[in-house]
């Protein structure tokens, strides 16, 4: 038998929706933990052909990053509803957002039969929690003191979110050269030791 839920509508974990007669909510979400994830790499928006004398990549540009579900993406939750619970740091509140980067200097790609891109890393936060469904029994029985609401089995979720600074840019941002995995030569001797985490943009087909 499910455990009867208790609480009042002012409590975010209350099963009641605050309406007259204490109707049951559909569900509520609960945060269980926050874990810093160090850095989450993404490929930048530029690439260059290193054949001949090598090439350099711009010291500034933009890239796209965002918060994503690792578990529980089919539960019907929104990123905003989870961030709205309250986290210890500011994070990206959408699945896709454009950020800028500025490197200390242009990044040099050594000469060779490969293409280079930029790998951009930043600090991220893993947030884990549960969606608690509310099982309704005797819904709307106001004359008998309101609905009887039971907690259903918890359903786990987790998100990975970029951590934002006060100015809206990403915390712990770093930029380095990387070998493009969607072009020939990326694993050859002399190519950059870091491999770009996603395919580089601007690589001609067949290269």
């Amino acid at each position: 038998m499910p455990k009867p839920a208790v609480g009042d509508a002012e409590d975010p974990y209350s099963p009641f929706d605050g309406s007259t007669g204490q109707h049951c909510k559909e569900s509520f979400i609960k945060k269980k933990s926050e874990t810093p994830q160090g850095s989450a790499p993404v490929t930048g928006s530029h690439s260059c052909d290193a054949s001949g004398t090598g090439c350099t990549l711009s010291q500034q540009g933009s890239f796209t990053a965002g918060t994503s579900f690792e578990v529980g993406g089919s539960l019907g939750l929104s990123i905003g509803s989870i961030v709205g619970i309250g986290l210890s740091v500011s994070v990206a509140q959408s699945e896709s957002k454009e950020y800028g980067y500025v490197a200390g200097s242009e990044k040099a790609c050594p000469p060779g039969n490969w293409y280079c891109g930029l790998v951009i890393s930043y600090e991220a936060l893993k947030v884990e929690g549960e969606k608690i469904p509310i099982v309704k029994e005797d819904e709307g029985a106001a004359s008998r003191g309101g609905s009887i609401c039971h907690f259903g089995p918890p359903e786990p979720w987790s998100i990975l979110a970029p951590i934002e600074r006060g100015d809206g840019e990403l915390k712990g941002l770093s930029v380095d050269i990387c070998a493009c995995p969607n072009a020939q030569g990326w694993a050859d001797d002399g190519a950059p030791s870091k491999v770009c985490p996603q395919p580089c943009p601007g690589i001609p087909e067949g290269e």
Side-chain angles (χ1 to χ4, degrees):
M1 174 69 67
K3 180 182 177 181
V6 295
D8 60 61
E10 298 302 317
D11 180 352
Y13 298 147
S14 167
F16 304 115
D17 65 6
S19 63
T20 302
Q22 290 285 54
H23 294 282
C24 304
K25 294 178 181 177
E26 294 290 333
S27 63
F28 67 83
I29 54 177
K30 185 175 183 179
K31 180 184 69 175
K32 296 184 68 177
S33 66
E34 296 182 16
T35 308
Q37 294 291 292
S39 62
V42 64
T43 300
S45 56
H46 299 87
S47 63
C48 66
D49 183 355
S51 60
T53 59
C55 58
T56 58
L57 286 168
S58 172
Q59 63 189 43
Q60 61 184 11
S62 62
F63 66 99
T64 300
T67 298
S68 60
F69 278 94
E70 293 189 316
V71 176
S74 62
L75 295 179
L77 302 176
S78 68
I79 300 298
S81 66
I82 291 175
V83 173
I85 296 174
L87 303 179
S88 62
V89 294
S90 296
V91 300
Q93 298 191 33
S94 64
E95 295 181 7
S96 180
K97 181 178 177 180
E98 187 172 280
Y99 295 94
Y101 67 84
V102 178
S105 61
E106 288 190 330
K107 297 299 181 180
C109 179
N113 189 33
W114 48 72
Y115 277 74
C116 283
L118 293 174
V119 56
I120 302 166
S121 299
Y122 51 87
E123 294 184 23
L125 185 72
K126 182 175 184 177
V127 185
E128 297 178 281
E130 295 174 332
K131 177 182 179 181
I132 312 294
I134 305 299
V135 180
K136 304 172 184 179
E137 181 181 326
D138 220 8
E139 173 71 282
S143 62
R144 295 191 295 278
S147 305
I148 299 174
C149 308
H150 297 281
F151 295 130
E155 301 170 293
W157 54 261
S158 70
I159 60 171
L160 187 65
I163 299 175
E164 294 185 340
R165 304 182 318 216
D167 60 3
E169 293 299 330
L170 294 183
K171 184 180 179 182
L173 196 68
S174 66
V175 183
D176 204 354
I177 203 79
C178 59
C180 295
N182 53 321
Q184 60 185 356
W186 64 270
D188 291 354
D189 290 342
S193 58
K194 293 183 178 181
V195 179
C196 304
Q198 294 91 29
C200 296
I203 306 293
E205 188 173 351
E207 288 293 323

